[in-house]
């Protein structure tokens, strides 16, 4: 019994020593952790410690309005809202929209030609179908925008499309553009209109709707241009 007791006592003493050292080591780690926490708190930005003036801005949502974008819906005049006719100040824009869509739709129809017809002019029945479908289309992408206080027609092919503001679409605008489309086709003639397109489509500059409406159609001609043309006719 004594021999066993003699062996057991050193083991108990060693265990107590380990426990004591463990307590001391644990206290030291606790002190270090507290010091580190205090140091890290000092190194945090001011807004973490409660200074509201240093709070960073919240990230911008992709759906939120961009800087410089106007959320004001244009207030239409009675003519712009109710008349079946195009407002006089938007006739040039409407002409450009129609010419732009004609060019796009004719190109699309040409791309669907059979391989043996590639590069050849469309048949009369084909371009007549393009004009008819366009002039009876929906024109859903067009409407009015307020651009620096001026109401402008906006949509594909028009300069106002890139302006960051609200657009007033629908209403009378599809009917007005259908009417304008039919007017252009009737005034110029389907054959002449397609021939003008075909003669210009392969030029490096392509077909510029504004230039087309200035030189071939009357809607974008300025008074100076009209006066110059009339002077040439008199000569």
């Amino acid at each position: 019994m004594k021999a066993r007791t003699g062996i057991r006592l050193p083991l108990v003493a060693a265990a107590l020593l380990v426990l004591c050292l463990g307590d001391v080591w644990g206290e030291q780690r606790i002190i270090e952790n507290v010091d580190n926490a205090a140091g890290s708190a000092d190194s945090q930005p001011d807004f973490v410690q409660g200074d509201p003036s240093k709070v960073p801005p919240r990230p911008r949502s992709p759906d939120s309005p961009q800087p410089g974008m106007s959320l004001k819906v244009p207030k239409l005049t009675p003519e712009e809202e109710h008349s079946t006719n195009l407002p006089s100040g938007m006739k040039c824009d409407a002409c450009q929209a129609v010419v732009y869509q004609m060019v796009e739709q004719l190109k699309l129809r040409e791309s669907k030609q059979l391989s043996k017809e590639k590069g050849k002019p469309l048949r009369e029945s084909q371009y007549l179908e393009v004009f008819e479908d366009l002039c009876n289309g929906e024109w859903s992408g067009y409407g009015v925008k307020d651009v620096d206080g001026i109401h402008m027609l906006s949509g594909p092919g028009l300069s106002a499309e890139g302006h960051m503001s609200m657009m007033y679409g629908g209403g009378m605008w599809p009917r007005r553009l259908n009417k304008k489309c039919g007017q252009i086709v009737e005034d110029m003639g389907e054959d002449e209109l397609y021939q003008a397109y075909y003669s210009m489509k392969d030029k490096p500059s392509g077909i510029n709707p504004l230039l087309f409406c200035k030189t071939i159609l009357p809607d974008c001609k300025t008074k100076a241009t009209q006066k110059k043309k009339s002077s040439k006719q008199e000569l």
Side-chain angles (χ1 to χ4, degrees):
M1 293 293 295
K2 289 183 180 180
R4 292 180 180 178
T5 302
I7 296 173
R8 189 177 299 170
L9 287 175
L11 292 175
V12 172
L16 290 174
L17 179 61
V18 170
L19 289 175
C20 291
L21 291 175
D23 291 340
V24 173
W25 179 81
E27 290 177 0
Q28 181 65 29
R29 289 298 302 272
I30 291 173
I31 293 172
E32 290 177 356
N33 289 338
V34 171
D35 291 340
N36 291 337
S40 61
D42 293 337
S43 63
Q44 293 294 323
D46 292 339
F47 66 85
V48 175
Q49 299 182 22
D51 185 352
S53 65
K54 302 295 181 65
V55 177
R58 296 177 64 182
R60 182 180 296 277
S61 169
D63 298 328
S64 61
Q66 299 300 315
M69 179 177 180
S70 173
L71 295 180
K72 183 180 179 181
V73 178
K75 186 177 180 180
L76 304 183
T77 65
E79 180 190 19
E80 292 171 343
E81 189 170 5
H82 302 296
S83 176
T84 57
N85 297 319
L86 278 165
S88 57
M90 299 184 189
K91 288 182 178 179
C92 180
D93 289 340
C95 178
Q96 293 179 69
V98 171
V99 171
Y100 175 83
Q101 289 297 337
M102 282 184 176
V103 171
E104 293 300 304
Q105 294 306 313
L106 288 169
K107 285 181 178 179
L108 179 62
R109 184 63 185 84
E110 288 174 345
S111 69
K112 296 180 180 179
Q113 284 181 298
L114 299 175
S115 57
K116 62 180 181 180
E117 297 177 331
K118 292 289 186 182
K120 296 181 180 180
L122 294 176
R123 297 191 301 272
E124 182 182 17
S125 60
Q126 293 174 324
Y127 63 73
L128 288 180
E129 182 182 5
V130 170
F131 294 148
E132 183 178 357
D133 290 345
L134 179 62
C135 293
N136 290 286
E138 296 182 357
W139 299 89
S140 57
Y142 291 86
V144 178
K145 283 184 179 180
D146 188 317
V147 180
D148 299 327
I150 300 173
H151 287 183
M152 297 179 65
L153 187 62
S154 176
L158 299 177
S159 60
E161 185 183 27
H163 185 79
M164 300 296 289
S165 62
M166 298 291 287
M167 185 178 79
Y168 187 102
M172 300 299 295
W173 291 105
R175 187 183 304 181
R176 289 167 177 159
L177 290 169
N178 281 334
K179 186 176 180 180
K180 184 60 183 176
C181 180
Q183 179 188 349
I184 289 175
V185 173
E186 182 179 351
D187 290 349
M188 190 168 178
E190 294 93 337
D191 297 339
E192 290 78 9
L193 191 56
Y194 181 71
Q195 288 303 319
Y197 156 80
Y198 193 78
S199 65
M200 299 171 66
K201 74 183 186 75
D202 293 327
K203 291 184 176 181
S205 58
I207 298 177
N208 184 316
L210 177 59
L211 186 61
F212 197 95
C213 292
K214 275 185 176 181
T215 58
I216 299 177
L217 297 170
D219 297 284
C220 295
K221 289 179 180 177
T222 62
K223 292 182 179 180
T225 304
Q226 292 175 346
K227 186 176 180 180
K228 185 177 180 181
K229 183 177 180 181
S230 61
S231 299
K232 287 183 178 180
Q233 289 176 348
E234 290 175 1
L235 296 174

